[in-house]
Amino acid sequence: MPERGALTLIFVAALVATVPLFAGDFWVSLTIKILVLGLLALSVDLLLGHAGLLSLCHAAFFAMSAYTVAILQVRYGVPMLIAVPAGLAMGTLLALVFGVSVRTRGVYFILVTIALGFIVWGVTYRWASFTGGDNGITNVPYPAIGDFQITSMTAYFYVVLLVVLGCVLAYRTLVRSPFGLVLRGLKSSESRMRSLGYSPLRHLYVAFVLSGFMASLAGVLYIYFNRFVNPATAHFHISVEAVLMAILGGTGTILGPFLGSVVIMVLRNWVSGFFPYYMTLMGLVFIVTVLFAPNGIIGLVNSWRARRARRAKTTDAVGTEPEAQPRPQP
Amino acid sequence: MRAGTANSAALELTGVTKRFGGLVAVDDVSLTVRPGERHILIGPNGAGKTTLFNCITGTFWPSSGQIRFFDVDVSRLAERDRARLGIGRTFQISNVLVELTVSENLILAVLGRDRRKWMMHKPFADLGAVADSVGTALATVRLDHRLNDPVASLSYGERKQLDLALALAMEPRALFLDEPCAGLAPSERQRVSQIIGELPDDITVVMIEHDMDIALRLAERVTVLHQGQVIFEGSPDEVETDTQVREVYFGSG
C-alpha cells in the first residue's frame, strides 16, 4: 500500500487533472508545459538536491530525445512506438558520455556541463542539413499507436499527467532507497564516504545517467506537445531555467521543482502578456528567493509549519490529555 | 581476499615514505602491529602521524614502501577497497555526514561494505538487519538516545563519538583513530577514552593521541614519530624514560 507521501502526490495529480474541466486551452497548454519542464527540473534536482552537483547541461538530453523523435518521425516516417524508445535511448546515451563530468567538482563541474551543453546546442544550430538549423524540424505528427491518434490537447494533457505521475512515484522510490541515501551522504562528505567503502565516482555516474534519462523522457513528452523543435530547446537558457525552478521550489524535494515550474512558467507565459518587464520580475523573484527563502517555497512552508508547531507545543504544555482507554472488545 | 592466519601481523609497514614535492612527510617508516594490539602513535606537531594514517587508510598512496594488512598488500589499493578489507578510521576533525540524521549516518556506514548500497527499489528504512548493527554501534559509543536526531544538532563531542560509531558500524578488523579526544572537554575526554578502552579485543586499534594520560593508559605499544621518522618503539613504561623522546618533547635542557 502506498503511504502518506505517495498519496499526497496522487492527490495533487488528481487536483491537476481537474484543470481541463474549468479552464480553457491556454491554461491546459500552460499546465502541460509546467509539468514537462517541472519533470526536467526534477531530473536536474536528483543531482542538485541529492548528490550536490549543479548541472547546466540538461537541456542537451531534453533536446537530444526531442530531436531524435522529430527526425525519425518526420524524415524517416518511423512510427511512434519505435521513435520514442529511440529518443530515450539517444538521450540516455548522451548522458552516458557526458557522465564523465562527475570526475570534476564544484565550479569545474558547472563549467564542464555548460561546455557540454553548448556542444549539443552548436550541433543543432550549425548542422543544418540534418537538424534543420535555425528552423528546426516542423510538422511532427500527433502521437499515434497504429490507427489510434491523440489529436486533442486535453487528451494529451492526461497522457503527460500520467507519465509525469508515474515518473514522480518512481523518483520518490529512488530517493528513499539506499542508493538515494548514498547520494546525500556523498553530498555531505565524500572523504567520509570513501573511508566507509564507497566509490563516489560510480554512484555519481549512475545518478547522472538516471537524471539524463529523466530529462530525455521530458524531451519526448515535449516534442509531442510542441510538435516542432528548434535549437532554442537545446539552449543554455533552458538548462538554467530548470535549475532555477528547482531552487525556487525547493531542492531535495519532489513537489519543489514543479512549484518552481509553476512560478516561472506563469511569469513567462501569462504575466508577459500584459507586463513587458516580466524578465526583470523573474530576476527579482529569484533574488528574493535566494535572500529570504534559500530552501525555496517548500522550505519556507516547512519552516513556517515548524514554527507554528513549536508555538502550539509551548501553549499546550500545561494540560496534556490522559491517554484514551482501549475500548473493550464486544 | 581475506587471507591471513592467526599469527600474522595485523599491520606491517616496510619502508613507507611519503613525499610532497621536496617535503618528506613520512620517512622510511617500518612498523608491525599484532592483531588485537592497542598501539599508540605519538609525536610533536608535523611529525607525520596523520600523513602516515592517510597512507595506511588509502587517502593517498605512499611514495614508496609497502603496507600489508593481514597479509594482503594494500599499498596500491583504493581507499574503498581498503575499507572493504576491514580498515576503519576516524578523523582528527570530526568527519560525519552533517546534513543527515544519526541513524542515516550509521545506515550508510553499515552499507559501505554491502552490495545493497546499490538498491534502488526499496526504502533504506526497511532494511531490517541493518538496524541491529546500527543499534550496536550506537550503544558502544553511548549515543543511543540520539538515534533519530539530525547530526547538525549534535555537540562537537557527540560528533566525535558518532565518527567512532561510523568506523565501528562497518565492522572493521582494525581501527585507526586520529586524535579521538582532540578538542573535547575533560568530561568528554573521559567518556571517549573509556569507550575506546571497552572496544572488543579482537579489533586492532591504532591511535594517534596527544593526551599522554589517555595515550599511555590505553597503549600496549607506543611508537614515537619525529620529523617523519620512527625514533622510538616500545612499551608505555619505556617511553617515559627514553632520553631521545624526552628531548623531542621537552627539549634538551
Side-chain angles (χ1 to χ4, degrees):
Chain A
M1 257 317 272
E3 42 352 347
R4 240 188 92 198
L7 289 175
T8 308
L9 292 171
I10 293 168
F11 177 71
V12 171
L15 278 184
V16 175
T18 62
V19 167
L21 302 182
F22 58 80
D25 263 4
F26 171 81
W27 291 101
V28 174
S29 117
L30 183 59
T31 313
I32 293 179
K33 282 189 221 163
I34 287 169
L35 286 171
V36 169
L37 287 170
L39 185 61
L40 180 67
L42 189 66
S43 79
V44 170
D45 196 42
L46 177 64
L47 295 178
L48 181 62
H50 295 276
L53 295 172
L54 178 70
S55 159
L56 284 174
C57 69
H58 270 55
F61 313 125
F62 186 72
M64 184 67 160
S65 64
Y67 264 100
T68 304
V69 169
I71 290 173
L72 283 178
Q73 286 242 288
V74 173
R75 205 158 301 148
Y76 301 102
V78 173
M80 184 183 108
L81 267 183
I82 295 170
V84 168
L88 292 176
M90 288 303 284
T92 312
L93 199 67
L94 192 69
L96 282 166
V97 178
F98 283 11
V100 294
S101 53
V102 301
R103 297 185 67 95
T104 60
R105 290 289 177 282
V107 176
Y108 298 96
F109 180 81
I110 299 174
L111 290 177
V112 167
T113 51
I114 290 175
L116 291 170
F118 267 106
I119 292 176
V120 172
W121 174 78
V123 168
T124 60
Y125 186 55
R126 281 291 170 187
W127 192 9
S129 60
F130 189 63
T131 63
D134 220 1
N135 299 321
I137 303 216
T138 49
N139 292 322
V140 175
Y142 285 109
I145 298 172
D147 289 334
F148 177 72
Q149 205 179 33
I150 297 176
T151 50
S152 95
M153 173 98 79
T154 310
Y156 192 62
F157 167 83
Y158 287 111
V159 171
V160 171
L161 186 61
L162 274 181
V163 173
V164 169
L165 178 63
C167 213
V168 158
L169 291 175
Y171 180 91
R172 182 169 180 275
T173 306
L174 179 73
V175 296
R176 283 156 51 92
S177 73
F179 180 83
L181 183 61
V182 171
L183 297 185
R184 294 190 289 282
L186 291 171
K187 182 185 175 196
S188 203
S189 170
E190 267 187 51
S191 62
R192 205 7 158 169
M193 291 295 279
R194 241 182 272 119
S195 71
L196 290 174
Y198 291 90
S199 161
L201 220 56
R202 289 182 199 171
H203 265 90
L204 293 179
Y205 182 75
V206 172
F208 191 95
V209 174
L210 287 173
S211 163
F213 169 78
M214 269 179 74
S216 312
L217 190 59
V220 168
L221 290 176
Y222 174 78
I223 187 67
Y224 285 112
F225 161 73
N226 210 39
R227 298 188 41 241
F228 101 92
V229 60
N230 68 358
T233 315
H235 199 267
F236 178 60
H237 186 86
I238 303 282
S239 299
V240 173
E241 216 166 61
V243 171
L244 291 189
M245 286 171 181
I247 294 175
L248 208 57
T251 57
T253 66
I254 290 180
L255 283 177
F258 289 98
L259 284 176
S261 178
V262 169
V263 173
I264 289 184
M265 295 314 279
V266 165
L267 277 178
R268 198 169 82 182
N269 289 276
W270 180 52
V271 177
S272 68
F274 54 84
F275 187 65
Y277 301 109
Y278 84 99
M279 276 293 246
T280 313
L281 192 65
M282 209 154 102
L284 280 175
V285 165
F286 190 64
I287 289 168
V288 168
T289 307
V290 172
L291 285 182
F292 300 107
N295 295 318
I297 299 169
I298 300 261
L300 208 60
V301 171
N302 282 344
S303 66
W304 175 73
R305 269 163 65 179
R307 219 173 315 140
R308 215 179 53 163
R310 226 176 303 132
R311 211 176 305 146
K313 216 158 123 192
T314 47
T315 48
D316 289 357
V318 193
T320 35
E321 296 232 328
E323 237 172 275
Q325 291 296 313
R327 192 180 299 197
Q329 292 292 319
Chain B
M1 286 272 263
R2 275 287 171 96
T5 50
N7 55 1
S8 71
L11 181 74
E12 198 177 356
L13 308 183
T14 20
V16 171
T17 300
K18 179 67 190 178
R19 279 182 220 95
F20 295 108
L23 176 80
V24 185
V26 174
D27 191 0
D28 194 28
V29 168
S30 297
L31 189 70
T32 305
V33 179
R34 283 182 300 105
E37 191 172 286
R38 301 290 183 263
H39 199 113
I40 311 288
L41 212 55
I42 58 175
N45 284 329
K49 304 180 297 288
T50 297
T51 307
L52 185 63
F53 258 37
N54 286 340
C55 286
I56 297 169
T57 58
T59 309
F60 37 65
W61 291 349
S63 310
S64 62
Q66 202 190 43
I67 300 163
R68 295 183 76 81
F69 183 70
F70 287 98
D71 265 355
V72 180
D73 183 0
V74 299
S75 325
R76 294 288 181 273
L77 283 186
E79 193 168 7
R80 61 166 186 281
D81 294 323
R82 299 192 202 191
R84 282 170 204 161
L85 284 174
I87 294 183
R89 78 168 294 181
T90 66
F91 293 78
Q92 189 174 354
I93 297 163
S94 85
N95 191 348
V96 291
L97 310 167
V98 184
E99 296 168 28
L100 307 182
T101 67
V102 170
S103 75
E104 287 171 336
N105 266 263
L106 285 154
I107 289 169
L108 283 171
V110 175
L111 289 178
R113 294 170 70 186
D114 190 321
R115 294 170 58 96
R116 281 178 298 176
K117 66 183 161 198
W118 287 102
M119 192 186 266
M120 297 181 182
H121 63 281
K122 239 173 148 176
F124 64 80
D126 292 357
L127 300 175
V130 173
D132 298 337
S133 315
V134 167
T136 315
L138 265 191
T140 310
V141 303
R142 292 163 207 173
L143 273 183
D144 343 29
H145 57 294
R146 294 294 231 157
L147 178 66
N148 294 313
D149 293 341
V151 174
S153 73
L154 262 55
S155 73
Y156 186 70
E158 287 173 319
R159 289 184 198 191
K160 291 284 270 195
Q161 283 162 257
L162 177 60
D163 203 350
L164 181 58
L166 290 181
L168 278 171
M170 57 187 285
E171 291 174 12
R173 304 177 84 187
L175 271 178
F176 293 82
L177 311 177
D178 193 347
E179 294 199 35
C181 296
L184 299 189
S187 67
E188 291 172 323
R189 277 164 185 267
Q190 201 78 49
R191 183 165 55 226
V192 170
S193 74
Q194 211 167 11
I195 291 168
I196 296 169
E198 289 165 9
L199 290 176
D201 287 338
D202 55 333
I203 300 180
T204 309
V205 179
V206 182
M207 178 170 134
I208 298 173
E209 187 50 68
H210 272 306
D211 188 324
M212 282 299 191
D213 284 344
I214 293 173
L216 298 180
R217 193 166 65 236
L218 292 171
E220 289 165 2
R221 300 286 291 173
V222 180
T223 297
V224 184
L225 276 183
H226 181 51
Q227 294 180 349
Q229 291 174 321
V230 175
I231 59 163
F232 172 85
E233 210 205 313
S235 71
D237 297 333
E238 290 162 348
V239 74
E240 285 181 284
T241 52
D242 188 86
T243 47
Q244 205 185 353
V245 175
R246 286 177 151 269
E247 237 169 67
V248 165
Y249 263 92
F250 307 114
S252 54

